Amino acid sequence: MEIRALKIRITGTVQGVGFRPFVYRTAVALGIGGEVLNDGKGVLIHAYGASTALNSFLEALTEQAPHLSRIREIRTEPLATSYAATKFLIADSKSGSGRETDIAHDTATCGACLNELHDPANRRHLHPFINCTDCGPRYSLITGLPYDRSNTTMASFSMCERCREEFLNPLDRRFHNQTVCCPDCGPRLRIEKGDGMQIDSNDPIEECRRFISEGGIAAIKGIGGYHLACRADHTPSVATLRSRKRRPSKPFALMVKDMDSARRIAVLTPNDEALLRGPEHPIVVVPKRKSRLVSREIAPGVDTLGIMLPYTPIHHLLFDRDVFRVLVMTSGNMSGEPMVHTEENARSSLVGIADLFLTHNRPIHVRVDDSIVRFAAGGPLLLRRARGFVQQSLPSPFSVEGIIALGGILKSTVAVGGKRNCYLSHYVGSLHNVNTLRALEEIAGHLIDLLDIRPSVYALDLHPCGLQRSLAAETKVPVEFIQHHHAHAAACMAENQVKGPAVCVVYDGTGYGEDGTLWGGEILIADYHGYRRAAHWSPIPLPGGEQAIRQPWRIALGALHSRMGDCALESAAPGVSKADREAVVEILRSGVSCPISSGIGRLFDAMSAALGICRVRTYEGQPAVELEAVADKTVTEIYDDMPIHKKDTTVVLDGPALAAAALLDMRRGTAVSRVVSRFHNTIAHATIQTVQKVAERERLDTVCLSGGCFQNVLLLERTITGLENTGLKVLIHRCIPSNDESTAYGQAVIAGARRYWKRCGTRGPNITSLART
């Protein structure tokens, strides 16, 4: 019998997911000696045994790994023949430098823990912090690596003797569970009034349940921050929450007691239910159903709801007594501010919104909002990437080590480059205020420290007014400026591991162009080093600048006045006073305070306002979201003969002409739902025609779709279907959102490509010649 010794290095999401206990049990079962430990790079195994046993061991590592793990790579090398071990053990962790491990994500409470939670005979009966190696908080409480209790916010909670026995027992589900606790040694719940005075209660959950049932608004501390909760069926409570939070119309997320409750308020497919039940338990966007369980004020103007199942023991206990089946569960913040995650900030920021606070003494180290997902185009489509999906690394075709990318102004994220992969943060917010900037700085610092990164390059958006520029300016680290839509294109290519080049369609609202205007309707030929603008949608005036984005009827006038003249004045802005309309026309004529934008998002804004759907925007994307909700999905017609011009070598698609055709169609008596569908279909059709011609000319067969407009499911699916029917390979984002959350990732990859070509002593490939070879 041949005896061998192996050193096995495993990278990926292999810490905080029960991987060491799994390795231990597998090794013992196969009679293998040695050790397993966590270090900065992942999991390290020294294994000694018969060749047949070691082969079975390696096979088990990939085929039987814990379901929460994600193995990126397994590398093996022989150990010296002098190495021998008769027993297998879990050795102490080592920190070291050059950390490469993915960080385990926060996971919803598992079925086994829920059974214990509701078992009166179990010692963790009704324990609001029950967890095991298969579930519970991870990323939100990690303070350092490797993943051990001492490197989490549970470090201050000493295990009792019974928990320690479970922790050391290889046959126990909590074997080496770093966050193990029980009512005797774990965190404690408490209930407080809005003024900070603690309420003396033996059952804080019951106190909070009663308060909410009577119409109150409570702040509840969860895994990654505070939620604001109230009854979803009680319109006065919902209206009060909207008023206090300064959120007049943006839909609220809902938490439902169980799947039966979800089916009562929404139309669910098996794919939707699978997403709801997944270990991440994200908010899932689904078609809504009329129900007395949900007030009309929850999601005005849209045909969907965002719902999630309870994902912490506290949530499950709140729903226990059937007092309510659906709760509003929205982020604990004032609109436009980052989610509150510390008790100090909760007392200063949420007083005046919530009248009761259900909190606890387990600190949250990293604020993490709820993820939002929608099933579309045959798979899950991330709309917001946060709890449950971070922190997993993303691939890069170039080394991105030491590169810190700070994303865009909207949907801000930060990307930190490791040796082999890129680590994209969760959604932070939009950089419209100092508090969000500080939150971005906080998460950037956390990832840099956690991964032991020494910044060598900062990658920034071209926009001259981005607040994140101040973060790079505070350092002496070199800066690379990356065009916004090139970053989008590179992100989609890198996520799908495209070597390049490709035709990249990037549709969003606003991104700073290299010519100083605002772009957003872009068809690019791109690789990681450069890009060429093959086609774009014609620019639309934005009279009043930022004010036009808040009042899209201004954009409607800007888009239609050049095509319809003064007859556009009333029809393009229904419900707007004559004086206001004429003032906007004067701005258009003078050109003062009237930037132009080729963004498809702005074209959606114009159409929504002109059709009387949304004239004033109260949250980002509202006009487009409400426009999509009106569409008759059965309509397949388009507006024929939409003008497509050519300017030098660039194709220009005439968006204002399309808007004018749609408006005239409505004025002829066509139903608005049909007009909206034709409008969507025509954008998709024009895109398909243009991309097909560009791909043929450049001899390319791959198309990447990115940008926030491709979160519009109608546009996305029509575009994908049409492009695939032409024989092109279509790639979209699946691991990250297509909106501006993806730009930091693209910036990091582009900065890595530039550095690579600079080290090679060249300017990099020429995008035109590269595309045709």
Side-chain angles (χ1 to χ4, degrees), residues 15-16 20 38 93 124 127 129 131-132 137-138 141-164 166-167 174-187 362-363:
Q15 294 189 15
R20 286 177 297 176
N38 279 347
S93 298
R124 290 187 175 86
H127 179 47
F129 303 96
N131 69 89
C132 69
R138 297 290 188 272
L141 50 69
I142 288 176
T143 60
L145 290 174
Y147 177 71
D148 287 312
R149 194 183 186 95
S150 59
N151 287 328
T152 73
T153 58
M154 285 294 292
S156 61
F157 297 93
S158 299
M159 290 184 214
C160 66
E161 193 57 37
R162 295 178 73 182
C163 284
R164 182 163 295 280
E166 294 170 331
F167 183 83
R174 294 184 173 88
F175 180 45
H176 269 260
N177 175 30
Q178 302 301 321
T179 54
V180 64
C181 64
C182 71
D184 295 333
C185 64
R362 183 182 68 200

Side-chain angles (χ1 to χ4, degrees), residues 544-563:
E546 284 292 324
Q547 192 173 3
I549 295 175
R550 292 189 294 271
Q551 298 176 335
W553 63 266
R554 291 170 171 263
I555 307 177
L557 273 180
L560 294 166
H561 189 261
S562 62
R563 297 294 186 275

Side-chain angles (χ1 to χ4, degrees), residues 31 35 63 82 92 155 162 168 226 234 248 264 273 326 481 533 548 558 592 749 771:
E35 63 179 9
E63 295 186 0
S82 59
D92 292 339
R162 295 178 73 182
L168 297 174
Y226 282 79
H234 193 244
R264 292 189 188 190
E273 295 193 7
V326 187
F481 291 102
R533 206 178 183 195
V592 177
V749 173

Side-chain angles (χ1 to χ4, degrees), residues 705-757:
L705 307 182
S706 189
C709 291
F710 283 118
Q711 292 189 330
N712 179 316
V713 173
L714 180 58
L715 177 65
L716 176 71
E717 293 184 338
R718 297 279 161 94
T719 304
I720 290 174
T721 299
L723 288 171
E724 288 180 340
N725 286 340
T726 69
L728 292 167
K729 179 181 180 182
V730 183
L731 301 174
I732 65 173
H733 293 283
R734 290 295 187 190
C735 298
I736 60 176
S738 65
N739 61 29
D740 282 5
E741 287 185 49
S742 68
T743 58
Y745 176 37
Q747 289 169 353
V749 173
I750 292 168
R754 290 180 182 178
R755 183 171 64 186
Y756 171 80
W757 290 110

Side-chain angles (χ1 to χ4, degrees), residues 253-283:
L254 300 176
M255 182 172 283
V256 294
K257 174 181 170 64
D258 49 30
M259 198 61 76
D260 179 63
S261 302
R263 296 185 189 107
R264 292 189 188 190
I265 66 171
V267 180
L268 302 180
T269 67
N271 291 317
D272 296 327
E273 295 193 7
L275 288 174
L276 284 166
R277 287 195 176 104
E280 303 89 1
H281 274 38
I283 298 169

